[in-house]
Amino acid sequence: NDILDFSKIEAGKLEIEKIPMPLASIIENACGMLAHLALSKQVELTLFIDPAIPENVLGDPLRLRQVLVNIINNAIKFSSKQEKQGKVSVRVLLTESNPDQVVVTFQVTDNGIGMDKKKKKKLFKSFSQGDPSTTRRFGGTGLGLAISHPLAELMDAEITVQSEPQQGSTFIIQMPFKPLPAAAVADHKIED
């Protein structure tokens, strides 16, 4: 699926939906999908969702979940296999709000291996990881972030990274949504 999505992105053929969705449920679902992985890798995974975030918004639930899963999955992967307890924190905050648009900030913070400036520059390039030892030690294809970055851009979002070697990383996604009244999602069944 990653390779198909990557091909669609490269060809400019991937389209983003704008349908009513319950934002908190999409976020909880993304974290729930990875809870077992975190447990198996002995990584503590926590989630906080700002209660001020509107219940319903217009967006693409599938693509939002895909971006979150890729980033949280990486955070779990790179904070495991350490002497210290691995920790991943997902915080979802309302950072801007008006009747026509809300901006939600997703922060995924880990206490993993971190990265230097040189590795950060290669971060969103396809089939690229920090160095060969990273691939050998943690696995992966190097496609997750290469897909997440353009997907976020297609959703008018911005992804930034703060990281230092051995100090962990924080991925910050700022994404705009159109808020909807509560009844909007009830009337529009979402296929999960």
Side-chain angles (χ1 to χ4, degrees):
N1 283 345
D2 279 351
I3 290 172
L4 285 173
D5 285 342
F6 182 71
S7 297
K8 284 182 191 173
I9 289 167
E10 289 282 289
K13 299 288 185 192
L14 194 106
E15 292 183 12
I16 297 296
E17 281 190 305
K18 291 225 178 197
I19 61 172
M21 65 178 195
L23 188 54
S25 295
I26 303 301
I27 299 160
E28 288 167 0
N29 182 271
C31 284
M33 289 172 64
L34 296 168
H36 183 73
L37 174 69
L39 189 64
S40 71
K41 292 187 175 282
Q42 299 176 343
V43 172
E44 180 185 308
L45 176 61
T46 59
L47 170 62
F48 170 79
I49 301 174
D50 186 342
I53 291 173
E55 190 176 334
N56 302 308
V57 297
L58 268 186
D60 190 325
L62 175 69
R63 298 306 177 186
L64 173 60
R65 185 171 51 221
Q66 186 175 8
V67 169
L68 292 175
V69 165
N70 276 332
I71 290 173
I72 299 165
N73 182 44
N74 274 358
I76 293 168
K77 179 167 55 172
F78 292 117
S79 60
S80 66
K81 299 183 182 179
Q82 302 183 93
E83 289 178 18
K84 62 185 173 192
Q85 162 82 44
K87 293 182 187 230
V88 174
S89 161
V90 180
R91 292 179 53 82
V92 186
L93 308 167
L94 182 65
T95 48
E96 193 180 304
S97 178
N98 63 57
D100 298 325
Q101 177 176 284
V102 294
V103 176
V104 176
T105 300
F106 302 85
Q107 295 177 337
V108 179
T109 303
D110 67 64
N111 68 343
I113 61 171
M115 63 194 106
D116 58 24
K117 287 180 182 166
K118 184 179 173 188
K119 289 177 185 167
K120 275 199 280 190
K121 283 184 182 170
K122 293 167 58 176
L123 201 54
F124 297 111
K125 293 191 171 41
S126 36
F127 303 106
S128 173
Q129 288 189 329
D131 55 50
S133 69
T134 304
T135 307
R136 192 170 52 254
R137 185 170 165 207
F138 295 99
T141 60
L143 266 183
L145 293 178
I147 291 169
S148 296
H149 193 264
L151 277 179
E153 287 181 337
L154 285 169
M155 293 186 280
D156 299 320
E158 180 185 12
I159 300 182
T160 56
V161 185
Q162 299 168 352
S163 186
E164 294 293 333
Q166 305 312 315
Q167 301 298 313
S169 302
T170 299
F171 282 75
I172 300 164
I173 308 163
Q174 292 191 294
M175 189 172 292
F177 294 99
K178 179 176 174 46
L180 295 173
V185 172
D187 296 341
H188 184 98
K189 186 176 184 298
I190 291 179
E191 298 297 329
D192 194 350

